[in-house]
Amino acid sequence: SMNKDRQKVLNRLKRIEGQIRGLQRLVESGAPCVDVITQMSAVTSAMKKTAGVIIVNNMNKCVSEVAEQPEILQKDFQAALMRFIDLS
């Protein structure tokens, strides 16, 4: 169901929040660069995966939302998607 999907996404975001807190602690404690960068990479990967889950779970909703909008907002959505997949 939609609620179950939403809860899974929220759980992922809470885990990412924990990872970011861990990253803040690494920076505060002056951890080695390699540790900070490794953790940054893990957070970035988790964010990308979560966005992918959101897109897959909500593809029909996303597309129908956009289809009903004026062309300018369709272009905004396309631009956001292009930024997300690093094509802009």
Side-chain angles (χ1 to χ4, degrees):
S1 76
M2 188 56 144
N3 275 351
K4 199 177 78 179
D5 288 339
R6 189 174 295 164
Q7 192 55 55
K8 280 184 187 169
V9 166
L10 285 171
N11 291 344
R12 282 174 175 264
L13 290 172
K14 285 173 184 167
R15 277 198 300 276
I16 291 166
E17 186 180 15
Q19 286 180 293
I20 290 173
R21 287 211 179 98
L23 189 52
Q24 288 171 331
R25 286 192 294 275
L26 286 179
V27 171
E28 282 169 354
S29 68
C33 273
V34 65
D35 294 347
V36 173
I37 292 169
T38 299
Q39 188 62 21
M40 289 286 287
S41 182
V43 168
T44 302
S45 173
M47 287 290 288
K48 289 275 189 187
K49 284 189 180 123
T50 302
V53 168
I54 290 168
I55 291 166
V56 168
N57 286 350
N58 298 287
M59 199 173 299
N60 292 339
K61 179 174 175 275
C62 286
V63 170
S64 64
E65 275 173 1
V66 173
E68 293 162 10
Q69 299 298 324
E71 193 176 336
I72 185 79
L73 293 177
Q74 292 181 20
K75 295 255 184 266
D76 289 346
F77 177 76
Q78 287 172 358
L81 212 47
M82 296 294 268
R83 273 194 307 275
F84 171 67
I85 55 178
D86 293 329
L87 291 177
S88 58

